[in-house]
Amino acid sequence: MALQEIPISDLSINPFELIGAEWGLVTAGDATGFNTMTVSWGGMGVIWGKNVVTIYVRPQRYTKRFIDATGRFTLSFYAPEHKRALGVLGTKSGRDGDKVAEVGFTPLFLDDTTAFEEARLVLSCRTLYADDIKPECFLDQSCDSTHYPEHDYHTMYIAEVEHVYRAE
């Protein structure tokens, strides 16, 4: 299947199912170097008059350096048969080897960033805003104690969805 660009208005998805249950990949970088990681936290909506996604990346994740360096990333989603590959891509670091080759995914370079030919849906995004989660801002302290025992607070990125691609 080839990815074809579609208007964002043609999307008909359940973001809770797509991100929370099916997972996806956040990928940043280009043909000279890129990394990817599994994502199961995030959101979609409208802010500042723009269609946006929100993703969360821990400071130790290798993909973070590529997002910070380029200000661009893709958020991509896959058919259920790729769930094992997403598990590998979420648990192994690109610092330690070629995990993309290990799962057999094919890099696709588009919009000055990277996605994979195996995706069924790709959102190509440009970062608008980034900030670190701050422990003093939790109104429900159980979120802090449950999700941050190591105090490795995520960076939150709000990014405009500039292009949408769907497998045809």
Short mmCIF file of all heavy atoms in Angstrom, two decimals, residues 78-108:
data_model
loop_
_atom_site.label_atom_id
_atom_site.label_comp_id
_atom_site.label_asym_id
_atom_site.label_seq_id
_atom_site.Cartn_x
_atom_site.Cartn_y
_atom_site.Cartn_z
N TYR A 78 -0.74 1.94 12.84
CA TYR A 78 -0.50 0.71 12.11
C TYR A 78 -1.63 -0.28 12.29
O TYR A 78 -2.38 -0.21 13.26
CB TYR A 78 0.83 0.09 12.59
CG TYR A 78 1.97 1.04 12.32
CD1 TYR A 78 2.23 2.09 13.19
CD2 TYR A 78 2.71 0.94 11.17
CE1 TYR A 78 3.21 3.02 12.92
CE2 TYR A 78 3.72 1.86 10.89
CZ TYR A 78 3.96 2.90 11.76
OH TYR A 78 4.93 3.82 11.48
N ALA A 79 -1.71 -1.22 11.37
CA ALA A 79 -2.68 -2.30 11.47
C ALA A 79 -2.32 -3.19 12.67
O ALA A 79 -1.16 -3.23 13.10
CB ALA A 79 -2.69 -3.11 10.18
N PRO A 80 -3.30 -3.93 13.21
CA PRO A 80 -3.06 -4.76 14.40
C PRO A 80 -1.91 -5.75 14.27
O PRO A 80 -1.24 -6.06 15.26
CB PRO A 80 -4.39 -5.49 14.60
CG PRO A 80 -5.40 -4.62 13.96
CD PRO A 80 -4.71 -3.95 12.80
N GLU A 81 -1.63 -6.24 13.08
CA GLU A 81 -0.54 -7.21 12.93
C GLU A 81 0.84 -6.62 13.21
O GLU A 81 1.82 -7.35 13.32
CB GLU A 81 -0.57 -7.88 11.55
CG GLU A 81 -0.36 -6.94 10.39
CD GLU A 81 -1.66 -6.45 9.74
OE1 GLU A 81 -2.72 -6.50 10.40
OE2 GLU A 81 -1.59 -6.01 8.59
N HIS A 82 0.93 -5.31 13.35
CA HIS A 82 2.21 -4.66 13.66
C HIS A 82 2.40 -4.37 15.15
O HIS A 82 3.38 -3.76 15.54
CB HIS A 82 2.37 -3.37 12.85
CG HIS A 82 2.47 -3.59 11.38
ND1 HIS A 82 3.50 -4.27 10.80
CD2 HIS A 82 1.64 -3.22 10.38
CE1 HIS A 82 3.32 -4.32 9.49
NE2 HIS A 82 2.20 -3.69 9.21
N LYS A 83 1.48 -4.83 15.99
CA LYS A 83 1.54 -4.52 17.43
C LYS A 83 2.84 -5.04 18.06
O LYS A 83 3.45 -4.36 18.87
CB LYS A 83 0.32 -5.11 18.15
CG LYS A 83 0.17 -4.67 19.59
CD LYS A 83 -0.54 -3.35 19.72
CE LYS A 83 -0.87 -3.05 21.14
NZ LYS A 83 -1.99 -2.20 21.36
N ARG A 84 3.31 -6.22 17.67
CA ARG A 84 4.56 -6.75 18.21
C ARG A 84 5.73 -5.84 17.84
O ARG A 84 6.57 -5.52 18.67
CB ARG A 84 4.83 -8.18 17.70
CG ARG A 84 6.06 -8.81 18.38
CD ARG A 84 6.65 -9.99 17.62
NE ARG A 84 7.25 -9.64 16.36
CZ ARG A 84 8.44 -9.05 16.22
NH1 ARG A 84 9.16 -8.72 17.26
NH2 ARG A 84 8.92 -8.78 15.03
N ALA A 85 5.76 -5.38 16.59
CA ALA A 85 6.82 -4.47 16.15
C ALA A 85 6.78 -3.18 16.96
O ALA A 85 7.84 -2.66 17.36
CB ALA A 85 6.68 -4.17 14.66
N LEU A 86 5.59 -2.66 17.24
CA LEU A 86 5.48 -1.44 18.04
C LEU A 86 6.01 -1.68 19.44
O LEU A 86 6.63 -0.79 20.04
CB LEU A 86 4.03 -0.95 18.09
CG LEU A 86 3.40 -0.54 16.75
CD1 LEU A 86 1.98 -0.06 16.96
CD2 LEU A 86 4.23 0.50 16.04
N GLY A 87 5.80 -2.87 19.97
CA GLY A 87 6.35 -3.22 21.28
C GLY A 87 7.86 -3.19 21.28
O GLY A 87 8.49 -2.65 22.20
N VAL A 88 8.48 -3.75 20.25
CA VAL A 88 9.94 -3.73 20.13
C VAL A 88 10.44 -2.29 20.01
O VAL A 88 11.39 -1.89 20.69
CB VAL A 88 10.41 -4.57 18.92
CG1 VAL A 88 11.90 -4.37 18.65
CG2 VAL A 88 10.10 -6.04 19.14
N LEU A 89 9.80 -1.51 19.17
CA LEU A 89 10.23 -0.13 18.93
C LEU A 89 10.05 0.74 20.17
O LEU A 89 10.70 1.77 20.31
CB LEU A 89 9.49 0.46 17.73
CG LEU A 89 9.81 -0.23 16.40
CD1 LEU A 89 8.85 0.23 15.31
CD2 LEU A 89 11.25 0.02 15.99
N GLY A 90 9.18 0.33 21.08
CA GLY A 90 8.96 1.07 22.31
C GLY A 90 9.85 0.65 23.46
O GLY A 90 9.99 1.38 24.44
N THR A 91 10.46 -0.52 23.36
CA THR A 91 11.27 -1.01 24.48
C THR A 91 12.77 -1.00 24.20
O THR A 91 13.56 -1.05 25.14
CB THR A 91 10.86 -2.45 24.88
OG1 THR A 91 10.97 -3.30 23.75
CG2 THR A 91 9.44 -2.47 25.41
N LYS A 92 13.15 -0.96 22.94
CA LYS A 92 14.58 -0.90 22.60
C LYS A 92 14.95 0.51 22.21
O LYS A 92 14.13 1.25 21.66
CB LYS A 92 14.89 -1.86 21.45
CG LYS A 92 14.74 -3.31 21.85
CD LYS A 92 15.34 -4.22 20.81
CE LYS A 92 15.28 -5.66 21.32
NZ LYS A 92 15.98 -6.55 20.40
N SER A 93 16.20 0.89 22.46
CA SER A 93 16.68 2.22 22.12
C SER A 93 17.42 2.20 20.79
O SER A 93 18.21 1.28 20.53
CB SER A 93 17.62 2.76 23.20
OG SER A 93 18.15 4.00 22.79
N GLY A 94 17.19 3.21 19.99
CA GLY A 94 17.93 3.38 18.75
C GLY A 94 19.40 3.68 18.98
O GLY A 94 20.21 3.59 18.06
N ARG A 95 19.76 4.05 20.20
CA ARG A 95 21.18 4.25 20.54
C ARG A 95 21.95 2.94 20.48
O ARG A 95 23.15 2.93 20.25
CB ARG A 95 21.32 4.80 21.96
CG ARG A 95 20.96 6.22 22.16
CD ARG A 95 21.28 6.62 23.63
NE ARG A 95 20.69 7.88 23.96
CZ ARG A 95 19.53 8.03 24.60
NH1 ARG A 95 18.83 6.99 24.97
NH2 ARG A 95 19.06 9.22 24.86
N ASP A 96 21.25 1.82 20.74
CA ASP A 96 21.90 0.53 20.91
C ASP A 96 21.91 -0.34 19.66
O ASP A 96 22.50 -1.41 19.67
CB ASP A 96 21.21 -0.24 22.03
CG ASP A 96 21.25 0.51 23.34
OD1 ASP A 96 22.21 1.27 23.58
OD2 ASP A 96 20.28 0.38 24.13
N GLY A 97 21.24 0.08 18.61
CA GLY A 97 21.21 -0.73 17.40
C GLY A 97 20.10 -0.28 16.47
O GLY A 97 19.37 0.66 16.77
N ASP A 98 19.98 -0.96 15.34
CA ASP A 98 18.99 -0.60 14.33
C ASP A 98 17.69 -1.37 14.59
O ASP A 98 17.42 -2.40 13.98
CB ASP A 98 19.54 -0.91 12.94
CG ASP A 98 18.68 -0.32 11.83
OD1 ASP A 98 17.53 0.11 12.11
OD2 ASP A 98 19.14 -0.30 10.68
N LYS A 99 16.90 -0.85 15.50
CA LYS A 99 15.65 -1.51 15.87
C LYS A 99 14.63 -1.47 14.73
O LYS A 99 13.78 -2.35 14.64
CB LYS A 99 15.08 -0.91 17.15
CG LYS A 99 14.68 0.56 17.07
CD LYS A 99 14.20 1.06 18.41
CE LYS A 99 13.72 2.50 18.34
NZ LYS A 99 13.18 2.94 19.62
N VAL A 100 14.73 -0.47 13.87
CA VAL A 100 13.81 -0.39 12.72
C VAL A 100 14.06 -1.55 11.77
O VAL A 100 13.12 -2.23 11.33
CB VAL A 100 13.96 0.97 12.01
CG1 VAL A 100 13.16 1.00 10.71
CG2 VAL A 100 13.51 2.11 12.93
N ALA A 101 15.33 -1.83 11.47
CA ALA A 101 15.66 -2.98 10.62
C ALA A 101 15.23 -4.28 11.30
O ALA A 101 14.75 -5.21 10.64
CB ALA A 101 17.15 -2.99 10.31
N GLU A 102 15.38 -4.34 12.61
CA GLU A 102 15.01 -5.55 13.36
C GLU A 102 13.55 -5.92 13.16
O GLU A 102 13.21 -7.10 13.05
CB GLU A 102 15.31 -5.35 14.85
CG GLU A 102 14.95 -6.54 15.70
CD GLU A 102 15.24 -6.34 17.17
OE1 GLU A 102 16.13 -5.54 17.53
OE2 GLU A 102 14.56 -7.00 17.99
N VAL A 103 12.66 -4.91 13.11
CA VAL A 103 11.23 -5.20 12.94
C VAL A 103 10.81 -5.21 11.47
O VAL A 103 9.67 -5.52 11.15
CB VAL A 103 10.34 -4.23 13.75
CG1 VAL A 103 10.65 -4.33 15.23
CG2 VAL A 103 10.43 -2.80 13.25
N GLY A 104 11.74 -4.84 10.57
CA GLY A 104 11.46 -4.91 9.14
C GLY A 104 10.68 -3.74 8.58
O GLY A 104 10.10 -3.84 7.50
N PHE A 105 10.65 -2.61 9.28
CA PHE A 105 9.96 -1.44 8.77
C PHE A 105 10.85 -0.72 7.75
O PHE A 105 12.08 -0.76 7.84
CB PHE A 105 9.59 -0.48 9.90
CG PHE A 105 8.30 -0.83 10.61
CD1 PHE A 105 7.68 -2.05 10.45
CD2 PHE A 105 7.71 0.09 11.46
CE1 PHE A 105 6.50 -2.37 11.11
CE2 PHE A 105 6.54 -0.21 12.12
CZ PHE A 105 5.93 -1.43 11.95
N THR A 106 10.20 -0.03 6.80
CA THR A 106 10.89 0.66 5.72
C THR A 106 10.74 2.17 5.92
O THR A 106 9.62 2.70 5.84
CB THR A 106 10.27 0.27 4.36
OG1 THR A 106 10.23 -1.16 4.28
CG2 THR A 106 11.07 0.86 3.21
N PRO A 107 11.86 2.89 6.18
CA PRO A 107 11.76 4.34 6.36
C PRO A 107 11.22 5.03 5.11
O PRO A 107 11.53 4.63 3.98
CB PRO A 107 13.19 4.77 6.64
CG PRO A 107 13.89 3.53 7.09
CD PRO A 107 13.21 2.40 6.36
N LEU A 108 10.44 6.04 5.34
CA LEU A 108 9.86 6.87 4.29
C LEU A 108 10.14 8.31 4.67
O LEU A 108 9.68 8.76 5.73
CB LEU A 108 8.35 6.60 4.19
CG LEU A 108 7.56 7.44 3.21
CD1 LEU A 108 8.00 7.15 1.78
CD2 LEU A 108 6.07 7.15 3.37
#
